[in-house]
Amino acid sequence: MPQIIDGKAISAQIKDEVKERVAELAAQGKKVCLAVIQVGNDPASSVYVGNKKKACAYVGMESLAYELAEETTQEALLDLIRELNAKEEVNGILVQLPLPKHIDEDEVIRAIDPKKDVDGFHPQSVGALCIGQPGFVSCTPAGIIQLLKRSGIEIAGKECVVIGRSNIVGKPMALLLLRENGTVTVCHSRTKDLKEVTKRADILVAAVGKPKMITREYVKEGAVVIDVGIHRNENNKLCGDVDYEDVAPVCSAITPVPGGVGPMTIAMLMYNCANSVSR
């Protein structure tokens, strides 16, 4: 049986460490405050925002919630971001994505002060990651590195394959694995002979966005498989990009869905917020 990488347990460990850090800062008279902006009432976004508020309360961090109407203009949103950039008591600013169609996400991300960009999406944060400078790192890929390290999985010298090249997961994931001295290949919709490439992987990260696409034909015997996907199947049950039942018997370690990568994203957001105080 493979090692089941328990994201719930590891994320709880990280949140407890952040809680200690927040208490230390409070003892020095420093508060930590996260501002979360949601535009519209997308149900999934509302769940995420609620979870972020709960996590802030747990670690002892203040949270400010701005729930704006769907028809909020881009200019009104940018004005709010500028206002929060200027507030000394706000350490982190997070704009919940996706935004309504009439708002330019790129412009909104660029408007956030890089010192408060706890999501790690600002071009300055991404550039810092590329050249090995300190900066905020996108929470999901940062969480995956923690899952691997805290599960005793060596990255250095390993063949790492990332399926997916999104700005939020695929690209930063590849850069982080490279930073940990992995040998990294990024696959995408134009990759030829995808199964041949993924079967070379000692560590396979699936961030493809298609339910149960990755079957055992894509996986080398003994590989570590990290499933970033989250979907609902025909029975309304949560599943990932990996066909867990098919793949689990052939790999050495695997993340389940739910309870694998998912909980790590919010834990790393809390970690980034606590770190923003010293910036």
Side-chain angles (χ1 to χ4, degrees), residues 42-62:
D42 174 75
S45 291
S46 297
V47 170
Y48 288 136
V49 168
N51 287 342
K52 285 163 187 169
K53 285 183 200 165
K54 278 185 209 153
C56 283
Y58 178 77
V59 301
M61 209 178 273
E62 200 180 320

Side-chain angles (χ1 to χ4, degrees), residues 5-272:
I5 299 174
D6 188 345
K8 281 186 186 166
I10 294 170
S11 68
Q13 198 179 43
I14 290 169
K15 280 192 276 195
D16 284 341
E17 288 165 14
V18 172
K19 192 176 187 174
E20 278 181 36
R21 171 83 179 124
V22 171
E24 280 168 19
L25 289 165
Q28 298 163 23
K30 295 175 183 173
K31 280 186 175 178
V32 188
C33 176
L34 171 67
V36 180
I37 304 169
Q38 182 182 356
V39 185
N41 52 4
D42 174 75
S45 291
S46 297
V47 170
Y48 288 136
V49 168
N51 287 342
K52 285 163 187 169
K53 285 183 200 165
K54 278 185 209 153
C56 283
Y58 178 77
V59 301
M61 209 178 273
E62 200 180 320
S63 68
L64 302 174
Y66 296 86
E67 284 149 16
L68 310 181
E70 182 85 21
E71 57 276 11
T72 299
T73 65
Q74 180 162 313
E75 203 42 53
L77 176 56
L78 292 172
D79 282 344
L80 173 58
I81 291 169
R82 288 183 201 110
E83 192 184 307
L84 294 169
N85 283 340
K87 279 191 174 175
E88 269 185 42
E89 65 272 24
V90 172
N91 308 98
I93 301 169
L94 183 150
V95 178
Q96 184 65 43
L97 303 179
L99 289 166
K101 296 274 189 288
H102 65 279
I103 295 177
D104 180 344
E105 280 186 6
D106 282 346
E107 196 167 334
V108 168
I109 289 165
R110 283 198 303 271
I112 297 169
D113 180 342
K115 291 190 190 74
K116 300 187 180 190
D117 170 41
V118 287
D119 249 342
F121 294 164
H122 191 284
Q124 192 170 310
S125 305
V126 178
L129 175 59
C130 278
I131 60 170
Q133 296 290 321
F136 290 115
V137 177
S138 187
C139 299
T140 302
I144 290 167
I145 295 293
Q146 288 300 317
L147 282 179
L148 293 167
K149 286 185 166 182
R150 291 173 188 242
S151 300
I153 294 161
E154 181 73 36
I155 302 168
K158 295 290 176 65
E159 188 92 35
C160 306
V161 176
V162 180
I163 315 174
R165 52 176 165 179
S166 73
N167 291 338
I168 291 174
V169 179
K171 287 176 191 168
M173 188 74 252
L175 289 165
L176 284 174
L177 289 165
L178 202 53
R179 188 162 87 178
E180 297 295 332
N181 301 312
T183 300
V184 185
T185 303
V186 179
C187 299
H188 44 76
S189 55
R190 301 288 179 88
T191 300
K192 289 180 181 171
D193 304 322
L194 180 62
K195 288 176 188 168
E196 298 307 309
V197 181
T198 59
K199 281 197 93 139
R200 297 202 305 257
D202 301 310
I203 299 172
L204 180 64
V205 180
V208 72
K210 290 186 179 171
K212 295 191 173 185
M213 177 183 148
I214 305 304
T215 58
R216 66 171 66 197
E217 295 158 15
Y218 290 82
V219 180
K220 177 169 89 172
E221 187 86 35
V224 173
V225 178
I226 304 291
D227 189 351
V228 183
I230 188 149
H231 317 274
R232 289 208 175 267
N233 66 13
E234 57 282 359
N235 304 320
N236 206 33
K237 280 188 74 179
L238 288 171
C239 67
D241 289 351
V242 175
D243 186 335
Y244 185 89
E245 283 72 24
D246 192 46
V247 169
V250 299
C251 59
S252 62
I254 189 167
T255 57
V257 176
V261 172
M264 296 300 294
T265 303
I266 288 177
M268 295 314 291
L269 174 67
M270 298 297 106
Y271 174 87
N272 280 352

